[in-house]
Amino acid sequence: MPKIKVRSPAKVNLYLKVIGKRPDGYHELESIFQTISLSDELEISEFRQGISIKTDYPGLSTGKNNLVYRAVDLVKREYGIKQGVRISLAKHIPIGAGLGGGSSNAAATLIGLNRLWKLGLTRSDLAIQAAKIGSDAPFFIYGGTALVKGRGEIVFPLDVKGDLHYILFFSGFPVPTKRIYQHLKLALMKSTDNVSDIIHCLCAGDIRQTVRLMQNDLEPVALKLYPELGKAWRLFKWITGHRAMVSGSGSTIFRLCSSAKEMVELTKKLQRNGVTKQQIANVSFAHPDNH
Ligand code: C5P
């Protein structure tokens, strides 16, 4: 029985600007997404019938609420597939952490099923299906670095080369994305629109300038609604002397470092000041997979 393995990476948002509220209740975005080396793994194989999902993540539903389940269900319905499927999901990406784990798992499922059932779907076909599951899911069909617009369904891949090094700082609790968007006060937002500047710096490999131009409109909302997150954010600045960013709607805080050496030094500094190994991870930019 053939088994298909698919890597399902996490993402960080280097830039996230909310343009406005849409008639469908979602928000219009302009964001830069990038996949990182922290990832889950899916193993997909055929099954007599039905959808069977197993995961090692305690408490994660494996039924209809699971985005992997929803991705399988969608493909079976859209393409009239009678065959069942068994998926085992090894989770390393924390849930509710602003790292896109669920959306990435859904996209990886679509990519895997396209291979398993030889559906012949192109990336844009897959991205259209992914958008039905979650706003961040179309990006994960492409991976790498991308300018993402609309609700998340418009993905422009960016040609970013070289290595980028990050420190992730896990706050340890989930933040529901919906709650953050609900508390966003569009009229009070003061962020600047400098997406083309940051794209230019990122593509030119100017990390220092990229860091200076990074911004996230969801960050002030998340820091205010979750005092623990604000505390972690201030702690990071106090210990390292550098500003960190909230990824997406939180709860992960991250820092783009100017080199691997700086990443190691800042990590040691954090650990000397009581931050545990479980609270941080050193990751790098994961270049797009070919699939
Ligand atoms: O699409 P997804 O289910 O991942 O989005 C979670 C929640 O985040 C939505 O229910 C919506 O409240 C909010 N959201 C939004 N605008 C976006 C993406 C998400 O308002 N572009």
Side-chain angles (χ1 to χ4, degrees):
M1 184 91 55
K3 257 192 186 151
I4 299 223
K5 288 188 181 187
V6 192
R7 213 172 57 83
S8 172
K11 59 85 178 162
V12 287
N13 298 91
L14 300 172
Y15 180 96
L16 195 159
K17 185 156 179 61
V18 180
I19 309 290
K21 188 131 188 218
R22 299 159 42 119
D24 62 6
Y26 282 85
H27 291 80
E28 191 73 16
L29 304 180
E30 197 167 58
S31 184
I32 299 174
F33 282 59
Q34 184 170 74
T35 43
I36 52 173
S37 54
L38 173 69
S39 56
D40 296 337
E41 283 113 43
L42 281 84
E43 222 174 72
I44 306 177
S45 51
E46 287 201 321
F47 196 46
R48 284 178 316 287
Q49 61 180 61
I51 303 169
S52 161
I53 295 170
K54 287 205 180 85
T55 176
D56 55 358
Y57 200 97
L60 177 63
S61 147
T62 51
K64 293 190 166 123
N65 289 333
N66 188 303
L67 296 189
V68 170
Y69 186 103
R70 284 175 50 196
V72 179
D73 189 47
L74 178 70
V75 171
K76 281 169 66 67
R77 276 187 290 109
E78 284 282 325
Y79 303 99
I81 312 267
K82 298 277 177 289
Q83 186 75 47
V85 74
R86 191 203 299 263
I87 299 185
S88 78
L89 170 63
K91 289 279 315 162
H92 306 288
I93 309 170
I95 289 174
L99 297 171
S103 297
S104 174
N105 294 167
T109 303
L110 297 178
I111 291 166
L113 292 179
N114 189 33
R115 286 210 301 225
L116 183 76
W117 288 327
K118 301 186 174 57
L119 300 173
L121 302 174
T122 62
R123 280 190 196 218
S124 56
D125 295 334
L126 289 168
I128 289 167
Q129 298 307 324
K132 297 177 186 168
I133 301 168
S135 304
D136 290 350
F139 160 72
F140 287 105
I141 296 294
Y142 297 88
T145 314
L147 169 64
V148 173
K149 290 193 177 204
R151 195 195 114 200
E153 77 283 14
I154 307 168
V155 181
F156 300 100
L158 297 171
D159 189 18
V160 175
K161 295 194 176 68
D163 291 332
L164 293 176
H165 303 279
Y166 293 97
I167 298 174
L168 303 186
F169 187 96
F170 304 117
S171 304
F173 54 87
V175 168
T177 304
K178 196 178 182 133
R179 181 156 189 248
I180 300 298
Y181 277 106
Q182 277 167 345
H183 284 81
L184 194 68
K185 296 209 169 42
L186 288 170
L188 302 179
M189 276 177 358
K190 293 192 286 276
S191 65
T192 47
D193 185 359
N194 55 7
V195 74
S196 45
D197 296 342
I198 185 167
I199 289 173
H200 176 79
C201 294
L202 195 54
C203 294
D206 185 346
I207 297 174
R208 270 175 221 282
Q209 196 58 14
T210 300
V211 171
R212 285 193 43 210
L213 293 169
M214 280 162 67
Q215 60 176 16
N216 176 1
D217 281 345
L218 304 181
E219 182 174 88
V221 189
L223 294 178
K224 193 165 168 214
L225 280 181
Y226 293 86
E228 282 303 305
L229 188 59
K231 222 162 110 185
W233 191 83
R234 285 190 296 277
L235 184 72
F236 191 98
K237 173 109 199 269
W238 182 71
I239 296 174
T240 66
H242 292 291
R243 192 172 76 92
M245 289 266 300
V246 169
S247 183
S249 52
S251 61
T252 304
I253 291 169
F254 73 99
R255 167 86 195 169
L256 170 58
C257 301
S258 56
S259 63
K261 189 166 166 264
E262 188 191 64
M263 176 181 73
V264 173
E265 280 167 5
L266 295 184
T267 302
K268 281 188 187 153
K269 228 177 188 177
L270 286 161
Q271 286 175 339
R272 276 200 302 274
N273 283 274
V275 174
T276 64
K277 281 202 167 116
Q278 288 70 37
Q279 285 175 296
I280 39 177
N282 287 164
V283 299
S284 54
F285 164 34
H287 289 266
D289 276 345
N290 288 319
H291 51 76

